[in-house]
Amino acid sequence: MKALKPLVMSGKEVLPLVEGGKGISVSTGQSSGAWAAAGGIGTFSAVNADTFDADGNIVPMTYEGKTRGERHYELISYGIAGGIAQAQVAHETRNGEGRLHMNVLWEMGGAEEILEGVLEGTKGLVHGVTCGAGMPYRVSTIAASFGVYYYPIVSSSRAFRALWLRAYKKVPEWLGGVVYEDPWLAGGHNGLSNSEDPLVPEDPFPRVRALREFMNSVGLNDVPIIMAGGVWFLRDYEDWIDNPEVAPVAFQYGTRPLLTQESPISEEWKKRLVTLKSGEVSLHKFSPTGFYSSAVRNAFLEDLHQRSDRQVRYSRTAEADLHVGIPLGRRGRPIYVREDDADKVRGWLAAGYSEGMPTPDDTMVFVTPESALEIKKDQIDCMGCLSQCQFSNWQQGEGTTGKRADPRSFCIQKTLQNIAHGFPVEHELMFAGHNAYKFGEDPFYANGFVPTVKQLVDRIATGD
């Protein structure tokens, strides 16, 4: 493979290899600092990042507030403190090499306050901000006010065009690059539009070429595009390098850094990665954000699938097509369902799924009493980790979306905190890119080999 040429990014010549930011204590200062030390761009996550006590132990995030609003302010405080802590670790670890970026999600709760708070507390330590999960118009002005480069994450030329025309053209000098994240192959939340079919992936090259064409049309010829999502062997992208249709281009890795010695994820999680088969990572739409996301199809996701399968339209009063009454609960108050659904509901009740939970769509899902209690508790414990949440009906600033909380979704804060801190991976949300099955096929990982970040970066640079 042709040799990688360094690119100037965030004010310094670096390898065009970027570590993708993974939220809630997965992309840490240790892992991102090591990536930067290897000559690339390391990215730590400022999404509910961990803080440490005087002995270096992780400080548990406990919430004392009685209301969602009170807990939301606690969450913002935790987020700022955690982001600063991880930036400091990353800065010390990188040994003056590479560049250090922080990643935030625009749709996370308190995004602007956390971004500003972390940048205020880390002046000189952070060189760039990557931001996606929504349309981050204001990330440009916030980053520029601190003299930091910004890197929006988009999944189409159309999305970047909207960001440019509305906001970014006002501060073009601080646009460090544009991350194109493939919505069919990337792990975590994905930017599929309503016009795109989640089951019909598109070739990324024409999409990136369209992005480059627009960027060049507004004078951004020298601003790199960072290809993210689905990148494993760099040799597969050799024809992208120095190709004027897309170049200058860098490449982002989110899933491969999970399996390194510096990666903080549990040994169980690392071992599970090397057993994945093709097709075990799938797109789903259970996320309380409303976005599609990619995760391992484990018991956690299976439960969500089955929960939605046990769902029917219903009414509290008899109507033309909803006229078969079925008693529910201790008081036996009936709900009315279609005649074709009545036997299904009776079967679910007989099987122990005796709790009916209304959804915002005038349907009812049926779960066990234990599951109903857990769902209700998670909704009550909400601390506003998203700008708006379908699961708990929280909305930042308003307090509520005005819609019924949706029991078909889940508390994303809870499950991501759990899996990041050692809970069994089969029963938590396990984000991964769709090429994660290659861990088990790639000879680099044979015989249980777990590389250091430096070994991984050197390997990637060879084309493998």
Side-chain angles (χ1 to χ4, degrees), residues 390-454:
Q390 294 178 354
F391 175 68
S392 69
N393 84 357
W394 158 267
Q395 181 166 303
Q396 187 172 302
E398 304 296 325
T400 176
T401 61
K403 299 179 181 178
R404 184 188 294 274
D406 196 337
R408 297 167 295 188
S409 189
F410 57 92
C411 177
I412 196 165
Q413 172 78 198
K414 173 186 172 182
T415 188
L416 292 181
Q417 288 284 2
N418 284 351
I419 196 169
H421 296 102
F423 280 57
V425 298
E426 189 63 22
H427 299 286
E428 306 296 342
L429 181 65
M430 186 173 18
F431 280 144
H434 288 248
N435 281 340
Y437 71 91
K438 291 185 177 180
F439 280 121
E441 299 181 355
D442 190 335
F444 185 54
Y445 302 97
N447 302 314
F449 177 65
V450 178
T452 64
V453 165
K454 178 65 164 62

Side-chain angles (χ1 to χ4, degrees), residues 70-361:
E70 291 172 350
R71 295 191 292 271
H72 181 63
Y73 286 113
E74 293 178 74
L75 175 124
I76 291 172
S77 296
Y78 279 129
I80 294 171
I84 292 172
Q86 297 302 330
Q88 291 169 338
V89 171
H91 174 71
E92 294 167 3
T93 305
R94 77 179 185 91
N95 294 322
E97 301 296 327
R99 273 300 186 244
L100 183 64
H101 290 181
M102 63 180 281
N103 181 64
V104 293
L105 307 179
W106 200 245
E107 293 299 324
M108 74 184 194
E112 294 187 38
E113 294 95 325
I114 291 171
L115 177 56
E116 291 174 340
V118 175
L119 291 178
E120 180 66 36
T122 59
K123 290 180 178 178
L125 307 187
V126 176
H127 310 107
V129 174
T130 58
C131 186
M135 293 293 280
Y137 293 106
R138 276 187 37 78
V139 71
S140 56
T141 54
I142 294 172
S145 70
F146 288 93
V148 169
Y149 292 91
Y150 63 98
Y151 294 75
I153 301 172
V154 300
S155 294
S156 68
S157 174
R158 183 176 62 180
F160 178 71
R161 183 178 186 276
L163 291 167
W164 173 262
L165 293 176
R166 178 168 167 178
Y168 296 173
K169 67 179 183 179
K170 300 173 184 176
V171 280
E173 67 274 20
W174 291 105
L175 178 63
V178 180
V179 182
Y180 169 80
E181 186 175 73
D182 188 272
W184 290 276
L185 293 177
H189 289 104
N190 305 78
L192 280 166
S193 71
N194 292 331
S195 63
E196 293 164 335
D197 189 334
L199 301 179
V200 184
E202 295 182 13
D203 181 356
F205 187 85
R207 296 167 68 90
V208 174
R209 181 174 57 204
L211 174 59
R212 171 56 67 197
E213 288 173 353
F214 174 76
M215 290 173 64
N216 288 354
S217 75
V218 293
L220 302 175
N221 307 59
D222 297 326
V223 175
I225 293 174
I226 302 167
M227 173 61 200
V231 182
W232 193 274
F233 296 123
L234 203 56
R235 63 175 183 261
D236 295 335
Y237 293 83
E238 186 173 10
D239 60 344
W240 290 44
I241 300 170
D242 299 327
N243 185 336
E245 291 190 276
V246 294
V249 64
F251 300 91
Q252 180 169 298
Y253 291 82
T255 297
R256 284 189 79 171
L258 288 171
L259 193 57
T260 60
Q261 293 181 27
E262 293 88 347
S263 170
I265 67 174
S266 68
E267 289 303 310
E268 182 194 11
W269 192 345
K270 291 180 181 180
K271 289 177 180 177
R272 181 70 181 96
L273 289 172
V274 297
T275 69
L276 292 174
K277 305 299 182 186
S278 179
E280 280 195 79
V281 175
S282 62
L283 279 167
H284 66 89
K285 208 172 183 183
F286 298 114
S287 173
T289 62
F291 294 116
Y292 277 95
S293 59
S294 294
V296 175
R297 188 83 178 244
N298 58 5
F300 178 86
L301 276 189
E302 285 298 330
D303 176 70
L304 289 169
H305 277 283
Q306 293 170 17
R307 190 186 303 173
S308 284
D309 288 342
R310 295 189 300 271
Q311 178 176 198
V312 295
R313 287 179 54 235
Y314 82 102
S315 174
R316 294 291 182 184
T317 58
E319 299 178 4
D321 63 334
L322 303 171
H323 61 271
V324 180
I326 296 179
L328 285 185
R330 295 179 181 177
R331 298 183 180 181
R333 291 180 176 173
I335 61 167
Y336 295 88
V337 302
R338 295 172 64 246
E339 187 171 349
D340 291 347
D341 290 332
D343 285 342
K344 288 192 297 185
V345 174
R346 295 186 186 104
W348 297 332
L349 296 176
Y353 302 103
S354 56
E355 294 291 319
M357 304 193 77
T359 79
D361 298 322

Side-chain angles (χ1 to χ4, degrees), residues 4-21:
L4 279 180
K5 296 179 182 178
L7 283 178
V8 175
M9 297 177 70
S10 293
K12 184 176 181 178
E13 196 172 78
V14 294
L15 283 173
L17 301 177
V18 181
E19 177 196 14

Side-chain angles (χ1 to χ4, degrees), residues 25 49-61 78 81-82 85-86 89 421:
S25 308
D50 285 332
T51 56
F52 310 99
D53 63 20
D55 297 319
N57 300 311
I58 294 173
V59 176
M61 295 186 190
Y78 279 129
Q86 297 302 330
V89 171
H421 296 102

